[in-house]
Amino acid sequence: MRSKALFLLLTALVVNGAHAQVPERFQKLILENVPRADVNGDGKVTLEEIKKTYPRLPAAYQRAIRKRLPEIAGEASASSKKQAAQPVFEFDRRAGDAKTGRAKGLNCLFMGHSFFCPIVKHIDEHATTLGLKHHQQFVAMSGGASGSPGRLWTSKKPAVLHAKKLLESGKVELLALTGHYEGSTFEDYRKWVELAVKHNPETIIVIQSPWAIKNWKQLGEYSKDVESATNTSHQRIDQLREEFPRSTFLCVPQGQWMVELWRLFEAKQLPELTQLVGSGKGESQQALFRDNFGHGGELAEKQGALMWLRVIYGVDLKDYQFSTKTKYDLKELAQRICDRDPYCKVGDK
C-alpha cells in the first residue's frame, strides 16, 4: 500500500511541473520507502534530490517520471529520444568490503537477458523492506543470446558500455551474469571477472543458471535441460575459482525454481495459476509461462527474486515478513532450493 501511495505521489509531483514542491505530509512516506532520496541527510526531500536519486528509484516510479517530466530523469528534452536512452545511473558511494557488506547492502551490477533481468529488478524493492540501506543496483538487459557474457562483452549498447564504466569506477561490489546456449564459455565469463576484480578485488561474482527455453517440452525433458544448464554453471564457477582463487563466486539456480513451480502447478498446489502457458503479457498473472518460448509469468519472475535475497544477502526467508500472496509457501521453497545447492553459499568451494 505504501509503494502505491508513493507512486501516486511522484506522479502528482511531476504532473505539477518542475517547480512543484514535495508536500510535507508526504515527506515521511518518501523517506520510509526510498531513504536514499534524502541525499544531504537533513530529513527532508526536495525535487532536486528526487532528480539525483531517480536512477535508483523502482522502475514503476521511473516510468511515471520519464513520461511526465523528462528533466528529472536527466534528459535535456522530452523530444530527444537519443539522449533519453543514455543511462544516467551512478553509484553514490564507494565500494566497501563486499564480503562483510551483505548486512547493509551492496553496489550491484546485473547484466543479462529476458530470463534474468525481469527477476533481479525486484531485488531493489526487497532491499528497502529489509533495511539494506546501502543496496543499489544497475540492470543492463539485452535480449536472447545478446544477453550472454560473450555477446555483452562486444556489445555497443549504451547500457552495456555504461556497465563497463561502472566496473572501471571500482564501486561495483557484486557483478551478476547469466548463461545462454551461445556466448557462455569460460573465456566469456573470465573477461568480465577480470575487469571487475582489476578495479575492485573484493567484487563478488554471481552466475545465474537460467530456466530453460520451453517450446513444446514436457516437464521431464524441461527438467533435464535445467539440470544440464545448472551443472554447466557449476563447472564455469569451478573454472573461475581456479583462475581467481581470492574471489567469491556464487550461483543462483533459477532454473530449479521454475521446475519446482511447474511441479507444484501440476500437483494443483498453486491455485493462483490457472494455466501453464499464457498467450502473452496479458495473461502473465495467471500463467506459469507467459508464452510458449518460456518467458516467466508474473509469479515466476517476481517471486523468483527471493532466491537472490538468499544467495547474495543470506536472508532467512522463513522469517522474512513478506507475503507472496500464494497458498503454497514460496519463501520456504526458494530457501530450500538454494540451501541444497552448495554453490549458493558464500565461502563454499
Side-chain angles (χ1 to χ4, degrees):
M1 184 63 69
R2 286 181 175 179
S3 295
K4 182 177 181 181
L6 180 56
F7 173 72
L8 293 174
L9 165 64
L10 290 176
T11 301
L13 288 173
V14 297
V15 167
N16 289 333
H19 300 293
Q21 299 297 315
V22 182
E24 291 186 6
R25 66 183 182 277
F26 291 120
Q27 292 287 326
K28 182 178 179 180
L29 179 63
I30 295 176
L31 292 171
E32 286 180 353
N33 284 271
V34 192
R36 307 185 196 100
D38 183 13
V39 176
N40 61 11
D42 66 354
K44 300 179 180 179
V45 180
T46 65
L47 282 180
E48 281 302 309
E49 287 178 314
I50 291 176
K51 180 177 179 180
K52 291 180 180 178
T53 56
Y54 160 81
R56 288 173 288 281
L57 291 172
Y61 307 161
Q62 290 185 2
R63 287 194 294 271
I65 291 173
R66 283 200 304 269
K67 182 177 181 180
R68 295 173 174 83
L69 190 62
E71 291 84 353
I72 281 189
E75 301 169 3
S77 69
S79 62
S80 178
K81 294 184 178 180
K82 181 177 180 181
Q83 187 169 357
Q86 299 299 313
V88 295
F89 179 91
E90 296 291 344
F91 291 116
D92 61 12
R93 69 180 183 88
R94 294 294 302 176
D97 184 348
K99 294 179 180 179
T100 59
R102 301 205 313 167
K104 296 183 179 180
L106 303 167
N107 293 339
C108 302
L109 173 59
F110 300 104
M111 305 180 69
H113 45 57
S114 58
F115 282 21
F116 171 82
C117 294
I119 304 167
V120 299
K121 72 178 184 180
H122 295 289
I123 299 174
D124 202 34
E125 300 167 19
H126 288 289
T128 299
T129 303
L130 289 163
L132 298 167
K133 62 180 181 178
H134 288 166
H135 174 89
Q136 298 179 62
Q137 64 181 64
F138 180 77
V139 181
M141 177 175 169
S142 193
S146 68
S148 67
R151 294 277 291 274
L152 284 170
W153 184 257
T154 58
S155 174
K156 300 301 181 182
K157 289 187 175 182
V160 178
L161 296 177
H162 189 69
K164 286 185 176 180
K165 291 182 179 180
L166 291 175
L167 287 169
E168 291 167 354
S169 75
K171 293 182 179 182
V172 175
E173 294 171 291
L174 184 143
L175 168 64
L177 302 164
T178 188
H180 193 273
Y181 300 110
E182 302 177 24
S184 300
T185 66
F186 165 71
E187 182 63 21
D188 293 325
Y189 288 103
R190 189 195 65 77
K191 292 175 182 177
W192 284 107
V193 175
E194 189 172 55
L195 178 63
V197 300
K198 175 183 178 181
H199 297 282
N200 179 9
E202 300 298 325
T203 306
I204 293 173
I205 310 297
V206 181
I207 295 178
Q208 180 231 40
S209 181
W211 52 66
I213 293 173
K214 185 185 182 301
N215 288 335
W216 304 105
K217 299 170 188 172
Q218 298 301 310
L219 178 56
E221 182 182 0
Y222 185 87
S223 179
K224 289 180 180 179
D225 285 352
V226 165
E227 182 178 4
S228 176
T230 304
N231 289 337
T232 298
S233 296
H234 290 170
Q235 291 169 9
R236 293 288 176 266
I237 289 175
D238 287 338
Q239 292 173 306
L240 290 166
R241 284 173 171 172
E242 184 175 352
E243 181 82 5
F244 303 92
R246 298 183 61 185
S247 299
T248 297
F249 293 90
L250 298 168
C251 179
V252 175
Q254 206 80 56
Q256 297 294 338
W257 166 254
M258 186 61 86
V259 169
E260 294 300 328
L261 290 181
W262 192 339
R263 288 173 177 161
L264 290 172
F265 173 80
E266 289 199 344
K268 301 187 184 306
Q269 292 183 274
L270 280 177
E272 296 79 12
L273 301 181
T274 59
Q275 52 192 315
L276 180 65
V277 181
S279 58
K281 290 187 177 181
E283 298 179 353
S284 181
Q285 289 184 327
Q286 294 80 34
L288 180 58
F289 298 96
R290 73 166 184 258
D291 54 38
N292 195 56
F293 185 76
H295 289 100
E298 184 176 307
L299 183 147
E301 290 181 343
K302 185 174 183 179
Q303 309 309 334
L306 292 167
M307 295 181 65
W308 287 84
L309 301 180
R310 182 63 176 166
V311 173
I312 68 178
Y313 287 127
V315 175
D316 188 342
L317 298 173
K318 296 177 182 179
D319 294 332
Y320 180 28
Q321 298 302 306
F322 168 78
S323 175
T324 60
K325 300 179 181 179
T326 55
K327 181 178 180 180
Y328 193 91
D329 188 350
L330 295 183
K331 292 184 293 183
E332 186 277 334
L333 175 64
Q335 183 148 322
R336 175 161 33 97
I337 294 172
C338 292
D339 288 359
R340 72 188 183 196
D341 185 337
Y343 288 80
C344 292
K345 303 172 186 176
V346 171
D348 284 7
K349 296 294 183 181

